[in-house]
Amino acid sequence: MLNDIMIGQYFPGNSVVHALDPRTKIVLTLVYISSIFLAAGYSAYIFLGLYLILIIGLAKIPVKIVIRSIRPIWIILLLTAGIHLLMTPGTPIVSLGPLEVTEEGLRLGIQMSVRL
C-alpha cells in the first residue's frame, strides 16, 4: 500500500519543468499552494486546475501516473465532502431523517475537497 503513494516523489524526465532550478520549483509550488487557499470562487479554482494541467503537460508526466498518485487520497476527499455536506448548517436541500444536506454544506464540501 505505501508503495502506491507517489505524492511528492521525483519523476525522471527531460522537460522544461525538469530543467528549472530546484529553488524556482519550490517557490512556485509554495505560491501555488498559497493560491489554492486564497482562491475565492469557482473561477479561481478552474484557473488553478487548468494551470496544474498545464504544468503536468509541460513536465510530460503521464496521466496514468498522476491518477495513480492521487488514488490514496480519494477516501479523505470523500470524507471531507461528506462531513461538510451533512454537518454544515444552512438552507436545506434534502432531508435524510435527522440529517440535512444544505446548500452551504454542498458549497463547503466541494471547496474543501478541491483544496485538498
Side-chain angles (χ1 to χ4, degrees):
M1 173 72 181
L2 291 178
N3 293 336
D4 293 340
I5 299 175
M6 300 179 63
I7 297 172
Q9 288 189 2
Y10 177 74
F11 179 78
N14 186 15
S15 70
V16 175
V17 175
H18 286 85
L20 288 174
D21 182 64
R23 293 167 292 202
T24 304
K25 291 187 270 191
I26 290 170
V27 169
L28 290 175
T29 300
L30 291 174
V31 168
Y32 184 77
I33 291 170
S34 300
S35 299
I36 290 173
F37 288 100
L38 295 174
Y42 293 111
S43 60
Y45 289 120
I46 290 170
F47 174 77
L48 289 169
L50 292 174
Y51 177 77
L52 182 62
I53 291 169
L54 173 71
I55 296 302
I56 291 170
L58 287 175
K60 299 177 183 173
I61 299 174
V63 175
K64 183 178 179 181
I65 290 187
V66 173
I67 291 171
R68 189 171 47 170
S69 71
I70 63 172
R71 190 179 311 157
I73 65 170
W74 278 109
I75 294 172
I76 296 169
L77 295 175
L78 292 175
L79 283 173
T80 300
I83 288 170
H84 283 286
L85 192 66
L86 297 173
M87 301 298 181
T88 303
T91 309
I93 299 173
V94 176
S95 291
L96 305 168
L99 300 174
E100 287 185 335
V101 176
T102 63
E103 288 180 33
E104 292 80 3
L106 181 62
R107 184 181 49 78
L108 275 175
I110 292 170
Q111 186 179 21
M112 290 301 163
S113 295
V114 168
R115 283 183 176 176
L116 286 176

